[in-house]
Amino acid sequence: DLNYLNTGKTKPSITFLNRFLLLFTYKMFYFAEVEDHVRVEPKLFGLPTMEAVNKQLRETYNDYYDREMGKAIAVIDVLDVGEGVIIPGDGAAYYKTKFILLIWKPEVQELVYGTISEITNFGAFINLGPMRGMIHISQTMEDYVSFSKTNALLGKTTKRSLKPGDLCVARIIALSHKGNDPKIGLTMRQPGLGKIEWIKEDSTKKERDTKKAERDEERAAKGTSSKGGAKGGKKKKNDQ
């Protein structure tokens, strides 16, 4: 039954093979084995079947997003191509094909690394590579934040600023699917998140505070020991 080929309502069969974390980024990527009926257009009929299917796959899955699968990044390999099928009234040929995709699938609580691409009076947009996310102004930093005329978000107490081009680490806290791409909501108001410079500053301050606390404890311990020694060493005078 090939009627579904004309409806376009079915989704390809997807098997997630593994997941890996790219070094120095927080974005999760997957390899997925996909089985789909690939519609090869007549313009590719002069090519060998494998090459024609490969070209069609790269065109079809370019900028492709599926709620279940995620964002297609690249066609890695074509594993198997079946016999072609012609549908009456359709000049293309359909090939049942198995292939490997590299995909990026956003998930709530996932950490992401990206560059601020746009500042608005309600927040900041961040380029995550495969997609773009939005950080509401209240989620940009632990401070009262305002939008400045210099196209930046400014913290009232910390004097920190967020502007286009800044490198940041954020966490996904909301995903909604309206239209072709998901709406990704992020926060930078948790420890270890925010602009890279802020993270370094917080780490340095924490290390400095820890060392100070250790020195204070050492001094307090020495003081207690010294008082105890002096009290124990005092001798009672004998009556003459």
Side-chain angles (χ1 to χ4, degrees):
D1 184 4
L2 296 176
N3 290 331
Y4 68 89
L5 292 178
N6 288 325
T7 67
K9 294 182 179 179
T10 61
K11 292 185 177 180
S13 171
I14 304 165
T15 303
F16 292 103
L17 302 180
N18 73 329
R19 178 167 68 175
F20 63 94
L21 184 65
L22 292 187
L23 191 61
F24 302 125
T25 75
Y26 295 89
K27 293 176 287 192
M28 300 302 297
F29 289 81
Y30 298 78
F31 284 124
E33 181 179 296
V34 183
E35 183 174 295
D36 193 9
H37 283 83
V38 181
R39 182 180 184 276
V40 177
E41 299 176 6
K43 66 182 181 180
L44 299 174
F45 283 177
L47 300 175
T49 301
M50 182 65 77
E51 184 179 349
V53 171
N54 199 323
K55 282 182 175 294
Q56 188 65 65
L57 280 173
R58 295 179 190 280
E59 182 178 325
T60 301
Y61 284 90
N62 179 43
D63 201 33
Y64 178 86
Y65 176 79
D66 177 81
R67 182 171 183 171
E68 177 187 348
M69 183 181 73
K71 179 80 169 184
I73 305 300
V75 178
I76 301 300
D77 192 18
V78 178
L79 303 178
D80 181 65
V81 178
E83 293 293 326
V85 177
I86 301 295
I87 305 297
D90 187 342
Y94 291 83
Y95 294 89
K96 188 175 182 180
T97 307
K98 285 185 180 181
F99 53 98
I100 303 295
L101 279 179
L102 172 62
I103 62 174
W104 182 71
K105 184 175 175 61
E107 297 173 356
V108 173
Q109 297 302 320
E110 178 182 325
L111 291 177
V112 290
Y113 173 83
T115 305
I116 299 298
S117 59
E118 183 183 355
I119 296 291
T120 70
N121 60 358
F122 57 83
F125 288 92
I126 181 170
N127 182 5
L128 305 175
M131 295 183 190
R132 194 168 80 148
M134 202 279 281
I135 312 166
H136 189 267
I137 190 170
S138 65
Q139 296 296 316
T140 54
M141 64 184 85
E142 286 284 357
D143 202 348
Y144 176 81
V145 185
S146 60
F147 177 70
S148 76
K149 295 179 180 179
T150 59
N151 194 33
L153 297 180
L154 303 178
K156 182 177 180 179
T157 302
T158 60
K159 306 302 180 185
R160 288 177 166 176
S161 67
L162 189 67
K163 59 188 184 301
D166 286 341
L167 300 176
C168 300
V169 177
R171 186 185 299 277
I172 297 176
I173 56 173
L175 278 175
S176 61
H177 293 81
K178 296 179 180 179
N180 295 328
D181 290 333
K183 307 299 181 184
I184 304 175
L186 305 124
T187 184
M188 299 200 299
R189 291 191 61 178
Q190 296 176 3
L193 304 181
K195 189 173 164 179
I196 296 299
E197 286 80 357
W198 304 345
I199 297 174
K200 291 179 180 178
E201 290 171 2
D202 291 343
S203 178
T204 300
K205 182 179 182 299
K206 183 178 180 180
E207 185 178 347
R208 186 170 58 245
D209 292 345
T210 300
K211 289 182 179 179
K212 182 179 181 302
E214 291 175 350
R215 289 195 298 268
D216 290 344
E217 288 179 3
E218 289 177 1
R219 282 196 293 267
K222 288 180 180 179
T224 302
S225 176
S226 176
K227 289 180 181 180
K231 184 176 181 180
K234 187 176 182 180
K235 294 182 180 180
K236 183 178 181 181
K237 293 182 179 180
N238 295 326
D239 295 332
Q240 295 295 329

